[in-house]
Each structure stands twice: as structure tokens, then as C-alpha cells.
Amino acid sequence: MRGILTDAEQVLGSPTRNLVSILVFVLVVAVLATIGYMAAGWSFADASYMVVLTLYTVGYGEVRPVDTPYLHALTMGTMVLGCTGMILLTSALVQLFTVLQLRSIFGGSRMQNRIDQLSDHVVICGYGRIGVMLARDLARAAVPVVVIERGPEKRAEAEAAGHCTLAGDATEEEVLIAAGIQRARALATVLPDDAANVFITLSARNLATGLEIIARGEAPTTERKLIHAGADRVVFPTHIGAEAMARMILYPHSQQVHGDAQLGKLRRELEALGLDVELIEVAHRSAMDGLSVEAAERRAEGSVFIVQIDRADGRSIPRPARDERLEPGDKALVVMRDVGAAARALFTSRAEIRAGRNKF
């Protein structure tokens, strides 16, 4: 059907372009006819009234007597050209509305057919900043995506990116069913409205009990509601951003870990187990200065495990012995179970506790 519409447009021309051209033609005829009647001594009101009567073929009667050859010729020209223009204008409007309606019907059906053929896909509710990044990353991983979005501009943006889209409100069960939620592998609701995310989560869980649901939250108090509604995981974008900045401040050397491909993979695997890995520099007279590996781990109350020490002189000690001591300038690769507890236990300088300052 798409090809038929395209061929028709090529033959008939663009409906919008045709409509504009005909409107310009009708306006030119009306203006010239009005000027012609005014040249015969008619007022602007009488001239314009006569032109409108002629163009719309109402037939109320002549405003003034048309009793000269000039007026006869002018009136006949206005009839022929004006009525022809109005007929063409009517046909152009019908063509435009027909093409728009066909695009709406068959375009929507084509997209729905694509969605109906999907399985093991991910349904994304909302195509805002987070939805765009999520859909892009999933597409890079060759995971099919269906975006539910009410805004036509956002929906067009998602279609341009190659994603299947569905117009509608994700809080309605009919829309979720149309998105193939019962065949999907996961649903991510990333709307900036906590109430909408809770409602979508509840509806999705009722429709697909085994579906993995990841929900976005804004207020911390929303997490319990989302979990109770059926969300498997709750993500707080604001907290993630703040945590990332805090890591840059607390663990400036950990960027080396994140940039290394092997350690980056290790970090992702540990995150799946609820653990984290950081690279920490031991500063002079810091909490870790002079401690043995065993003492540092005990001081952190089991929240960290030191797996490697890089000495300041370039030596590296993997799996250090329990009695191996940490010295200023050393960089310790640690696995953390509780980042907050580790920071409190290991990064407060003994010499500056009274001053209220933290230093590694």
C-alpha cells in the first residue's frame, strides 16, 4: 500500500503542493476581478461582493447592472476562471484528506504488523532523555524495541531511529497488549511521572506475570510502591548521577579501572552480585596508612576485600598476604560490598578528624 500511495503522489503531485498552487490561483483571480470591477467605477465593497458571488456560484443577483461589453467580458472571465479554480480547490482538498486518511490507516496497520511479529523484545514506555538512550543501547545490542509514546514529535523521532512505535497512553492495558507485552522479555517504564510508572507497572504485572519490569523513580518513597506494584528493579536517575559524581570525588583513581577493558568487565560481573571494585590510593597519614591487609579489611567490618596492591615503586602484589602492609603512595584494588561503609572506614584521615576534613 505504501508503494501505491507513493506512485499516486508521483502522478498527481504532492497534495499539499497542489492545494497551495490552486489557492494562489483562486486568490489571483479574485484580486484581479475585484480590481477590474473597481476600474469600472464600482466601490471595493460592491466589487468584492460581486466576485465572491461569482466564485461560489450563489446567484443572489448582480450587485450593479452589468450592461457594458467590458463588464460582460470581466464577469464571464471571472465565472470561467473562478469556478474552475473552485472546482480544482475542492478536488485538491479531497485528495489531501484521502491521502492523509490512507496514510493513517495503512501506516498504522503496517507498524502494528511489525510489532505483532516481534517476540522477546523490550517495551519502553516514554521516549524522553532516558528512553532515547535506553532504546539506542538496546538497538546496538540487536534487541528489538517497541516504544510507547503519546507525543507525535517524539514518536517520529523514534521511528527515524528505526524503532517500532505505538501511539497511545501506556497506562492503558489495551496499549500494552498492542505492544506485545505478553511476548516481551522486559518492560521499562521511564516516564518522569512516578504515579504513571506505578500504574504501568501494576498493569504490566497483571498482564504478564513472568515479565521483567524495570521502573524509573523520582522520589525515594516511590521505590516501595513500585516494588509492591510488581517492579523487579527500580532505578533513580538522579541518585545514579549523584553517586557517579561522588565516586569521582571519593575514588579519583578508579577511572583507571573503568577504562581498562578487563577490569571493566570484572566490575560489571561484580555489580550483578551486588559488589563493586575500586582503585584507592593510600595517602600519607590516612586511615589506611600503615595498616596490614587484614587490619584494613577488619577496620572496614567486612565491607571490603583487598585483591591487589600496586606499590609506588611500580611493583604489583596480586592476592596480597594478610600481613602485607599498606604504604603511602600505594594503590589498592579493592572489592566492596558496602561502598558507604568502606568510605567511612577507610578514607577518614586520623590526623584531621578533629578538623572535620576527609583526605585519602
Side-chain angles (χ1 to χ4, degrees):
M1 187 65 199
R2 176 69 177 176
I4 296 175
L5 289 175
T6 303
D7 294 340
E9 289 182 8
Q10 290 176 351
V11 174
L12 301 175
S14 169
T16 305
R17 185 170 61 250
N18 291 342
L19 180 62
V20 172
S21 301
I22 295 169
L23 276 174
V24 171
F25 173 76
V26 172
L27 288 175
V28 170
V29 171
V31 170
L32 292 178
T34 302
I35 294 174
Y37 283 114
M38 292 178 66
W42 293 26
S43 66
F44 174 76
D46 288 344
S48 58
Y49 186 66
M50 182 65 178
V51 171
V52 172
L53 288 177
T54 305
L55 292 179
Y56 283 91
T57 65
V58 177
Y60 283 150
E62 298 171 355
V63 179
R64 292 190 180 187
V66 181
D67 52 6
T68 65
Y70 170 77
L71 289 175
H72 287 165
L74 178 61
T75 303
M76 290 175 62
T78 304
M79 288 179 182
V80 173
L81 297 177
C83 291
T84 302
M86 294 302 294
I87 293 172
L88 293 175
L89 180 62
T90 302
S91 64
L93 286 172
V94 172
Q95 179 189 4
L96 176 64
F97 293 149
T98 302
V99 170
L100 291 177
Q101 190 67 20
L102 289 174
R103 282 179 179 173
S104 176
I105 294 173
F106 291 99
S109 299
R110 187 177 67 257
M111 182 63 71
Q112 187 62 55
N113 289 336
R114 288 179 58 190
I115 295 174
D116 291 341
Q117 294 174 2
L118 294 178
S119 61
D120 201 32
H121 57 285
V122 176
V123 178
I124 300 177
C125 303
Y127 200 67
R129 176 175 52 86
I130 297 176
V132 168
M133 293 187 291
L134 176 59
R136 180 190 60 203
D137 292 343
L138 289 173
R140 288 176 179 173
V143 176
V145 170
V146 175
V147 176
I148 301 177
E149 174 60 53
R150 289 185 298 180
E153 294 181 359
K154 290 290 186 181
R155 201 164 56 250
E157 181 182 343
E159 289 183 13
H163 308 307
C164 292
T165 62
L166 192 64
D169 189 344
T171 59
E172 299 178 1
E173 290 190 354
E174 294 79 5
V175 176
L176 294 176
I177 293 174
I181 190 174
Q182 294 166 329
R183 305 184 308 276
R185 64 189 292 183
L187 176 140
T189 173
V190 292
L191 297 174
D193 185 348
D194 283 353
N197 288 332
V198 171
F199 197 87
I200 292 171
T201 300
L202 184 63
S203 300
R205 181 56 69 204
N206 289 334
L207 292 171
T209 55
L211 181 71
E212 181 180 6
I213 300 176
I214 302 173
R216 169 185 177 179
E218 293 296 329
T221 55
T222 310
E223 182 175 11
R224 182 177 58 83
K225 299 175 183 177
L226 286 167
I227 296 296
H228 184 71
D232 296 294
R233 301 181 186 179
V234 180
V235 178
F236 293 91
T238 304
H239 293 183
I240 292 175
E243 181 180 298
M245 289 186 284
R247 288 180 183 278
M248 294 178 187
I249 297 172
L250 290 173
Y251 316 115
H253 297 281
S254 65
Q255 300 305 312
Q256 301 172 16
V257 175
H258 303 164
D260 185 272
Q262 184 176 359
L263 289 177
K265 180 180 178 181
L266 173 61
R267 191 171 193 271
R268 290 190 295 271
E269 293 174 351
L270 289 173
E271 283 179 347
L273 301 174
L275 303 174
D276 205 348
V277 59
E278 300 290 352
L279 189 64
I280 305 167
E281 183 177 13
V282 180
H284 179 63
R285 296 186 63 78
S286 67
M288 296 177 68
D289 184 7
L291 292 180
S292 65
V293 170
E294 182 180 11
E297 293 176 353
R298 186 172 60 249
R299 180 185 178 88
E301 298 178 350
S303 61
V304 302
F305 179 69
I306 300 175
V307 296
Q308 181 173 312
I309 299 175
D310 294 332
R311 296 295 190 189
D313 58 8
R315 291 183 298 117
S316 181
I317 307 175
R319 297 186 298 276
R322 308 297 293 170
D323 58 353
E324 191 76 43
R325 292 197 173 273
L326 297 165
E327 301 173 358
D330 289 348
K331 293 178 182 178
L333 185 64
V334 302
V335 174
M336 297 185 179
R337 182 166 57 91
D338 185 341
V339 176
R344 289 191 300 271
L346 301 179
F347 305 136
T348 302
S349 171
R350 292 193 296 266
E352 297 188 356
I353 289 179
R354 298 175 186 175
R357 294 186 303 220
N358 291 335
K359 181 185 293 185
F360 299 175

